[in-house]
Amino acid sequence: MTTRKMNEIARVIEESGSILLVTHTFPDGDALGSQLGLGHILQDMGKKVVLYSEGQISYLYNFLPRCTELFDIPPGDSEIDCAIALDCGDRFRLGREVDNLLKIKPFMVIDHHAGHKDFGDLRWVEAGRSSTGEMVYELARKLGVEISYEAAYCLYTAIVADTGSFKYASTTAETFRIAGELVNIGVKPEEVAGKLFDNYTESRLQLLQAVLSTLELYSIGRLAIISATKKMFEITGAELADTENFINYPRSLASVQAVALIKETEDGISVSMRSKGDCDVAEVARKFNGGGHRNAAGCKFKNGETLKEVRDRIFNELLPLVEGY
Ligand code: 5GP
Ligand code: MN
């Protein structure tokens, strides 16, 4: 079934001259890695590729080959034969251009989110996959193209980012097999790990210090909550993007089953959640119109709620959840 969907997408790609690739807003490593990786693959096939992503791309991903070619202009200005959304589980995460984007026919979707909400014309969704990067690798094999070093670099980064360096439950033997093939192409795991994780500026480390000082623990250490306030950003000079991976510090506590990071942003409050094993934080995110995976999910509050109010609402949902573990 899923292979049939992949084959259908491959057929549309083969018949198309120019292809638009889009991912979700505030793209993370898997979103950008799979978008850029597929971009390289399609260009190598002689296709015209338009990369679209709304808003600023976090400076943390500038190291991805040709990342800065991403641009933020409404599509529709150029001749496009088809579009592919990567790593996007919900049409609204495509951003403000969602309606224009979906006018591109056929609009195809490659995604691995559990609780994926169907959109577009042709969907290849596999919740059992570790990352969208892994799926793009399979697609490239189906297309029969030679995967370049640049493409491999992007796809490997996507996989490492979404598996937390092959740590999360989503990591399978298939994940290792594909990562191994990407390493065979020439990707250096040490280099990618360095770019993804050992990339701190001084202000980012100071922000981490401030954020970790907010640590609250409940239910004999099963639940952890940390917060990042506007004031902390002002004082340290760090930016929102710098909070990436902060949530993994409380997650490293042996006792922890679920963690929430509550962030004060320009237009409201953004919540990231992580959990271990069967503890399902996507369930909590969905209660607040967010989404994600069982062990990594998030949601946004844009109706003027304060950080404290959001923290309380999240706390009230997470506390009973962790009590069961
Ligand atoms: P992060 O905490 O890294 O921002 O997000 C973790 C995961 O949660 C993402 O990969 C994404 O699947 C999901 N997620 C985060 N924020 C939102 C949101 O506002 N809406 C939806 N539907 N999913 C989100
Ligand atoms: Mn992903």
Side-chain angles (χ1 to χ4, degrees), residues 249-268:
Y249 289 93
R251 194 184 178 278
S252 65
L253 273 169
S255 60
V256 152
Q257 296 302 315
V259 194
L261 165 60
I262 325 269
K263 294 164 276 187
E264 228 171 359
T265 69
E266 283 308 314
D267 60 350

Side-chain angles (χ1 to χ4, degrees), residues 34 37-38 41 86 110 124 132-140 155:
S34 56
L38 184 56
I41 289 159
L86 296 139
I110 302 177
W124 173 30
T132 306
E134 191 181 306
M135 299 172 77
V136 170
Y137 174 87
E138 301 280 21
L139 177 65
L155 298 182

Side-chain angles (χ1 to χ4, degrees), residues 169-198:
S170 57
T171 309
T172 63
E174 194 71 355
T175 314
F176 281 108
R177 181 185 67 78
I178 293 171
E181 297 197 15
L182 296 169
V183 171
N184 267 334
I185 294 170
V187 180
K188 304 241 176 322
E190 182 196 20
E191 187 190 334
V192 174
K195 298 279 191 200
L196 271 179
F197 305 116
D198 301 332

